[in-house]
């Protein structure tokens, strides 16, 4: 199962974190930016690809996974989507697992097309092929079960995974997610559905290929969901630039210290801004990634959640 492989990578690197590649040209150091024509989409995409490759080169042996947020590539048009494709392909080549953060869904047939694009295969005249080589995709549950079934089918058919948005890290998410639905909140009810959607895809570690996005900025809700969703692996955004710290995260992990992976994007990609003495932006990202690893593992150890090095 795909989730078993992610957990194996986490254990092998002793690092339950993911590197977010939400790359935009504003994140480039001046000396790097000067090498590209950033007044054109082609030049911007060229710079993004090289920026990402250098960061992947610097971190692939210490970080088990990258999360590539498609919005930051779509805004650079067709060249940006080529950068998205090449970033995923390069991360895979370097041995990292890849989450395509695309937050897709629609009615059944359209959801099937989205799923084919990111975790399944696209049918051609006499063959099927992959459009992108991602291991996971993020999914919006708002359309209900018929919008999720194509994704869970591809998870089963191609040994891929999804992370369904349950409790997001942004402040205004409470406007809908915290509404009362019978005897629970809407996000709890969505969590129950996520557990059910993945019940036939549980791997050796006890976690399903159907995971959940749970914002690290809501530690109490995260701890509550961990007890409620005991077969669901969490993707935790919100660490670093969005304000969540390591002590907020421990409740999202089970007693063995597994069950979640923590994502950070800007705080890693832009680490060079706070480390002027570091040699190069990529090495600054590596140092920040190691500090993040130590921070999270220390918090897990302090809370009795496994034994992390």
């Amino acid at each position: 199962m795909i989730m078993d492989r992610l957990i194996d990578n986490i254990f092998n690197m002793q690092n339950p974190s993911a590197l977010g590649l939400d790359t935009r040209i504003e994140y480039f150091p001046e000396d790097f930016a000067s090498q590209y024509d950033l007044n054109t989409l082609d030049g911007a995409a060229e710079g993004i690809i090289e920026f990402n490759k250098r960061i992947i080169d610097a971190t692939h042996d210490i970080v088990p996974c990258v999360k590539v947020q498609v919005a930051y590539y779509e805004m650079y048009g067709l060249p940006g989507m080529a950068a998205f494709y090449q970033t995923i392909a390069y991360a895979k080549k370097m041995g990292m697992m890849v989450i395509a953060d695309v937050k897709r869904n629609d009615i059944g047939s359209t959801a099937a097309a989205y799923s084919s694009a990111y975790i399944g295969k696209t049918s051609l005249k006499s063959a099927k092929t992959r459009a992108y080589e991602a291991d996971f995709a993020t999914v919006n549950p708002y359309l209900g079960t018929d919008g999720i079934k194509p994704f869970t089918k591809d998870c089963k058919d191609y040994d891929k995974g999804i992370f369904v948005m349950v409790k997001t890290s942004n402040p205004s998410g409470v406007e809908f997610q915290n509404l009362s639905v019978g005897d629970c909140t809407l996000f709890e009810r969505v969590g129950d559905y996520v557990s059910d959607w993945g019940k036939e895809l549980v791997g050796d570690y006890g976690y399903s290929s159907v995971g959940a996005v749970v914002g690290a900025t809501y530690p109490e809700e995260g701890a509550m969901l961990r007890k409620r969703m005991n077969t669901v692996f969490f993707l935790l955004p919100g660490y670093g630039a969005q304000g969540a710290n390591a002590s907020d995260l421990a409740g999202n992990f089970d007693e063995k210290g597994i069950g979640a992976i923590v994502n950070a994007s800007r705080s890693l990609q832009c680490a060079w801004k706070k480390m002027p003495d570091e040699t190069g932006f990529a090495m600054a990202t590596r140092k920040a990634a190691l500090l993040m690893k130590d921070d999270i593992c220390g918090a897990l150890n302090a809370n009795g959640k496994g034994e992390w090095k």
Side-chain angles (χ1 to χ4, degrees):
M1 289 285 187
I2 190 75
M3 205 62 80
D4 289 336
R5 297 204 300 278
L6 177 58
I7 295 169
D8 283 339
N9 282 8
I10 288 169
F11 278 146
N12 290 340
M13 295 185 183
Q14 285 290 285
N15 187 1
S17 71
L19 165 65
L21 292 176
D22 302 355
T23 311
R24 54 192 307 160
I25 62 174
E26 290 84 354
Y27 296 168
F28 296 169
E30 186 175 349
D31 60 342
F32 178 85
S34 66
Q35 302 173 50
Y36 301 93
D37 181 2
L38 300 183
N39 288 310
T40 67
L41 294 175
D42 286 326
E46 185 182 356
I48 288 168
I49 293 167
E50 183 61 24
F51 185 84
N52 288 349
K53 283 184 174 180
R54 292 194 194 182
I55 287 179
I56 290 168
D57 286 343
T59 59
H60 70 92
D61 62 324
I62 60 169
V63 178
C65 182
V66 294
K67 182 176 76 67
V68 190
Q69 167 52 262
V70 72
Y72 291 89
Y73 300 83
E74 287 181 356
M75 71 182 196
Y76 296 104
L78 185 58
M81 289 307 294
F84 178 76
Y85 175 87
Q86 291 186 46
T87 295
I88 290 174
Y90 192 73
K92 292 290 292 181
K93 176 184 174 182
M94 298 304 291
M96 304 179 87
M97 300 190 77
V98 176
I99 301 168
D101 191 358
V102 295
K103 297 184 176 69
R104 295 297 198 254
N105 209 331
D106 210 305
I107 61 171
S109 58
T110 311
Y114 280 135
S115 185
S116 295
Y118 293 104
I119 61 170
K121 289 186 177 181
T122 298
S123 295
L124 303 175
K125 185 175 181 179
S126 60
K128 290 185 176 183
T129 190
R130 294 197 188 283
Y132 299 100
E133 289 289 344
D135 299 293
F136 300 90
T138 56
V139 178
N140 188 326
Y142 194 76
L143 283 90
T145 300
D146 64 347
I148 295 294
K149 280 185 176 180
F151 290 93
T152 56
K153 182 179 185 301
D154 282 343
C155 287
K156 182 178 181 180
D157 290 349
Y158 299 109
D159 191 20
K160 298 292 184 176
I162 57 175
F163 288 100
V164 183
M165 290 183 291
V166 173
K167 179 64 176 155
T168 59
S169 59
N170 60 307
S172 63
V174 300
E175 294 173 358
F176 298 113
Q177 295 162 22
N178 284 42
L179 291 174
S180 294
V181 181
D183 59 352
C184 65
T185 61
L186 179 58
F187 75 81
E188 290 174 288
R189 183 62 56 84
V190 173
D192 292 342
Y193 273 99
V194 172
S195 296
D196 186 63
W197 289 331
K199 64 185 179 182
E200 296 180 358
L201 296 169
V202 176
D204 292 339
Y205 286 104
Y207 285 100
S208 166
S209 300
V210 179
V213 178
V214 178
T217 48
Y218 293 98
E220 293 182 4
E221 289 89 338
M224 179 174 60
L225 287 171
R226 169 46 59 224
K227 294 177 182 178
R228 192 179 185 102
M229 305 166 68
N230 59 11
T231 62
V232 179
F233 196 91
F234 292 175
L235 170 63
L236 306 175
Y239 177 94
Q242 291 188 54
N245 58 52
S247 62
D248 295 329
L249 304 172
N252 292 277
F253 290 78
D254 65 23
E255 294 308 310
K256 296 179 181 178
I258 58 176
I261 190 166
V262 184
N263 179 76
S265 301
R266 279 172 290 168
S267 58
L268 298 183
Q269 289 186 284
C270 298
W272 60 269
K273 295 181 180 181
K274 296 183 178 180
M275 299 180 186
D277 297 329
E278 194 61 51
T279 305
F281 67 85
M283 287 299 103
T285 296
R286 180 183 178 88
K287 184 175 181 179
L290 287 170
L291 291 172
M292 177 181 173
K293 168 187 177 295
D294 291 344
D295 190 30
I296 295 169
C297 291
L300 292 176
N301 287 335
N303 284 274
K305 299 295 182 78
E307 297 182 4
W308 295 87
K309 300 176 183 177

